[in-house]
Structures are given as C-alpha cells and as structure tokens.
Amino acid sequence: MFLNNLKIYNFRNHKSFEVDLNEQRAIVLGCNGVGKSNLLESVEVLSQLKSNRALSDKDLIENDSDMAAIFGQIDFTDNLKVNLFRKGAKKIYVNDSLLKKQTEIQNYIRSVCFCSNDIYIVKSEPGFRRSWIDKVVSQLEPVYVELIHRFNRLLKQRSHFWRSESFQKDISSEVIESFDIQMSLISTRIFRRRRRALSKIKPYVEYWHNHLSKSKEQIGINYLSGLENINQEEEEVISKKILEQLQKQRPLEAVTGKCNFGPHRDDIEFLINNISIRKYGSSGQQRTFILALKMAELDLLRNMINLPPLLILDDVLAELDITRQNLLLNSVGKDSQCLISATHLDKFNKSFLSSSQMIYL
C-alpha cells in the first residue's frame, strides 16, 4: 500500500496542507514547533483512527475550528477521508461512501508508528504497555477494537453501580452477578488475544534485538495477569477462572468502588537474560529494545496482511546512537513506505538522502 497524496484541514496547527508523495521514503524537515509531528500524526490517525499523542479527537482540531479533515489517496485508486468533530463522533469515508464499521478502513491502509515517546512502553507504567499491545492486536484483529470498547463501558457501568444508592451493600445481587458474567467473557477474549499476539511477535523481537545489539542476549516477553498458572487456551477454562476471581474480590470492590482485577490491571514484562529491562536495563538497552519491538511490529503486520504497512518515524533518530541510527535507516523504506520527521539532515547518509523525497515545513 502506498499513500500517494495527503491533504489536511484544520488539523492541529495546520490550517491547510497538501503534499504528493512520490518516493518510498519521505523526510519531513523543519525547525521545532512548525508541525512536523502533527503532519505525521495525521497519517497515523488516517490509518489507525487514533493518535498516541491525543486523549480525544477534539485535541486534534485546530483551536478556532469545529472540525478537522484528513484526506488520503492510496495507490492512485482509493480516496480515504476522516472527519473529526469537536462535538460528536468521527466519520470515515472511502470513495465518498460512509463506512458503517470504521475499522474497515484498515482494508485500505495500515501503519506502524514509532515516536520518541514510545520509550515509555519499556520504562514507564503498565498503562503504556497495555495501550501498546491493544494497538498491536487491533491491527491484527480489527474486531478487537469493539471488545475493548465494550469492556471499558462495562467497567464504567460496574463502578457506577457500586457507588449508586441502589447498591445498598448487597454484594450478591443479580446486577453484579450479571456484570461478573459479562466481564468474565469479554476479559477472556481480550486475555487470549493479547497472549496470542505476544507469542506471535516475540520471534520478530528476538531477531531485531540480535540484529540491533549484535549480541546473543536472551530476551523474554511475559504477560502478567491476576490469573495464575493459566496455560490453557480454552475459553471456558479461562472464563471460569476470571469469574471466580471477580467473585472473590467483591467485598473489597464494594468498599473501594474499583475493580482491581481484569485486563485493565494486567501488565507485560520485558526481560534481557531474565532481568527486567524496566527496572534494571540501561538507557541504551531500553532504547534498543523498543526499537526492536517496533520493527517487530512492522514485520508481524506485514506478514499477517501480506502487504507492507506504512512506517512512521517521528523524531526517533535523536534518541539513538550512530550505530543504531544506521541500522534503522538501512532497514526502512525497502518494502514499506516510510515517513520520517527531522530537524536537520546530518544523521542521514548521502545515498539515503538521494533516494528520499524532501518535504520542507
């Protein structure tokens, strides 16, 4: 898939911008603050319908506007459009037809985005790792997006119930029984998909980590859940275990109003030689691992859909030493179309620049 034209209106600081893309690699060049990341972010929103830099759609809309629009043409054939509104849900069009299922846009465009903030996936709180794995699973199985939405709605309703006057301290009521059953089913499906995605991506992470570090270190990726000793994949077995755990924590939940067990509390552990990278890894090890993780994501998605997705590199070269910069740049743009933001060109060799399109902001 190739994005050959991009137009944005009222997106972040861009009132209006259009560019034709005609090379496999495109470098967006400009000073800090001119909107390089915003431009690349628009491609991320077009392809993934969300941004890793925004909490809501309204954050993406230019301050004086009520809506923003992103247009993209794929392979000179399909015209995609995303309309974002300050009030109301986004609307997605393909060839001027409104999509009833917004995730269907992934039939036309996919992307993997790597930005400087991604280092927090490795070094920061569990929420960053949950967001990362949810994004990976959503790319592989678009139906997963609805699973996450349903779970979040259910979690919110459950919390509201514990705080409501109708609760009256009855921890065995039919309402909470219904919540437990629904949450156990949805949690099981989320749990299985996350673990399945991690098992699929791990070999790619191993390859890229060895390639980038030039070492024989053993990496580990473990899914950490409140469920212990669950090796089976049968949905009924896992669902029963989750239901039991939800029932066990009811007395505490009745007091706090918070559900402390489920996919929203799980974590992912990254290891090198059985040592936690988050706790004990050096800055260099953390950066190498996150680079391996993102390149693995690209390879996994490409092999799953039999097409190279777009690769978005937003301000990542400054985070890498010269060796890893060269390894990364030599790896990108061979199969996937690659969009890169930069403030200057001294990190690129002449051959890379000669085969890249320059976009000046």
Side-chain angles (χ1 to χ4, degrees):
M1 56 187 66
F2 194 91
L3 177 66
N4 49 265
N5 178 267
L6 175 70
K7 289 185 287 188
I8 56 178
Y9 297 99
N10 301 326
F11 186 90
R12 294 286 198 183
N13 69 321
H14 294 284
K15 201 72 175 174
S16 176
F17 186 88
E18 179 176 5
V19 62
D20 289 320
L21 300 167
N22 45 47
E23 297 288 347
Q24 195 78 2
R25 300 160 170 166
I27 300 174
V28 182
L29 188 68
C31 299
N32 290 326
V34 296
K36 302 185 303 297
S37 294
N38 296 343
L39 185 62
L40 268 58
E41 183 182 28
S42 71
V43 180
E44 182 186 13
V45 175
L46 181 69
S47 53
Q48 299 182 20
L49 302 184
K50 63 186 299 183
S51 163
N52 63 68
R53 301 167 64 221
L55 295 177
S56 67
D57 289 348
K58 64 182 180 182
D59 296 333
L60 304 170
I61 301 172
E62 195 261 342
N63 289 336
D64 297 329
S65 303
D66 294 324
M67 68 166 291
I70 309 168
F71 299 83
Q73 188 180 72
I74 304 297
D75 298 326
F76 297 99
T77 303
D78 296 303
N79 295 298
L80 316 180
K81 180 171 68 171
V82 175
N83 284 345
L84 306 171
F85 302 95
R86 198 168 293 280
K87 296 181 180 180
K90 66 173 70 71
K91 293 185 178 180
I92 318 299
Y93 300 83
V94 174
N95 298 324
D96 294 326
S97 295
L98 179 67
L99 294 183
K100 293 182 179 179
K101 289 187 176 182
Q102 295 187 349
T103 53
E104 289 180 357
I105 199 170
Q106 293 187 341
N107 295 331
Y108 303 88
I109 183 172
R110 302 282 187 100
S111 73
V112 171
C113 180
F114 182 19
C115 66
S116 57
N117 288 340
D118 283 337
I119 190 65
Y120 294 120
I121 295 172
V122 172
K123 66 186 294 185
S124 195
E125 301 304 314
F128 288 93
R129 290 179 285 282
R130 289 193 295 266
S131 295
W132 167 75
I133 190 59
D134 287 342
K135 184 177 289 189
V136 171
V137 181
S138 298
Q139 295 262 39
L140 301 177
E141 304 180 59
V143 67
Y144 184 78
V145 175
E146 180 56 28
L147 274 179
I148 291 295
H149 286 333
R150 287 170 59 192
F151 178 82
N152 289 336
R153 285 198 301 268
L154 195 58
L155 191 64
K156 186 175 181 180
Q157 291 167 356
R158 183 188 183 97
S159 179
H160 178 74
F161 166 77
W162 285 121
R163 291 176 167 83
S164 67
E165 294 180 1
S166 60
F167 161 44
Q168 297 179 346
K169 307 300 178 184
D170 180 8
I171 64 174
S172 61
S173 73
E174 293 182 1
V175 176
I176 199 62
E177 287 284 350
S178 175
F179 276 133
D180 282 352
I181 292 171
Q182 292 181 70
M183 286 191 73
S184 65
L185 290 172
I186 297 176
S187 297
T188 298
R189 291 165 186 170
I190 293 172
F191 175 81
R192 294 177 70 212
R193 282 170 171 81
R194 283 177 174 176
R195 286 212 315 187
R196 188 160 61 228
L198 288 176
S199 67
K200 288 178 180 178
I201 202 171
K202 183 180 177 182
Y204 296 100
V205 181
E206 290 173 337
Y207 166 79
W208 277 105
H209 190 267
N210 285 333
H211 180 64
L212 293 165
S213 65
K214 303 294 184 182
S215 71
K216 297 298 181 181
E217 295 171 324
Q218 295 294 316
I219 71 155
I221 301 177
N222 299 323
Y223 189 76
L224 305 181
S225 171
L227 287 175
E228 297 181 357
N229 302 319
I230 292 292
N231 296 316
Q232 303 97 328
E233 280 296 320
E234 290 84 355
E235 185 168 309
E236 290 185 6
V237 173
I238 299 173
S239 181
K240 182 180 179 181
K241 292 283 187 180
I242 293 176
L243 185 60
E244 291 172 355
Q245 193 69 30
L246 287 170
Q247 292 170 344
K248 186 186 298 185
Q249 60 118 46
R250 278 187 196 175
L252 178 61
E253 191 176 359
V255 175
T256 64
K258 295 181 180 180
C259 182
N260 293 315
F261 173 81
H264 63 298
R265 304 288 292 181
D266 293 347
D267 197 359
I268 300 168
E269 182 180 45
F270 300 129
L271 305 171
I272 293 181
N273 294 335
N274 291 319
I275 297 175
S276 169
I277 302 174
R278 182 180 71 84
K279 293 180 180 179
Y280 305 110
S282 67
S283 178
Q285 285 177 315
Q286 291 176 343
R287 287 189 174 94
T288 297
F289 195 91
I290 190 61
L291 179 55
L293 206 63
K294 301 305 290 189
M295 296 304 292
E297 189 179 335
L298 182 72
D299 282 353
L300 174 61
L301 184 56
R302 176 174 59 232
N303 290 334
M304 289 293 293
I305 66 175
N306 294 317
L307 278 174
L310 276 72
L311 176 60
I312 303 169
L313 300 177
D314 183 20
D315 195 29
V316 298
L317 294 181
E319 300 292 326
L320 304 173
D321 59 42
I322 189 65
T323 300
R324 289 173 178 81
Q325 287 172 14
N326 289 332
L327 283 170
L328 174 59
L329 292 177
N330 290 336
S331 301
V332 303
K334 294 180 178 179
D335 297 315
S336 295
Q337 182 183 14
C338 182
L339 306 177
I340 308 171
S341 68
T343 55
H344 41 75
L345 299 177
D346 58 355
K347 297 184 183 299
F348 303 91
N349 59 47
K350 291 183 179 180
S351 61
F352 191 94
L353 292 174
S354 65
S355 60
S356 302
Q357 176 182 354
M358 301 303 302
I359 302 172
Y360 296 97
L361 292 184

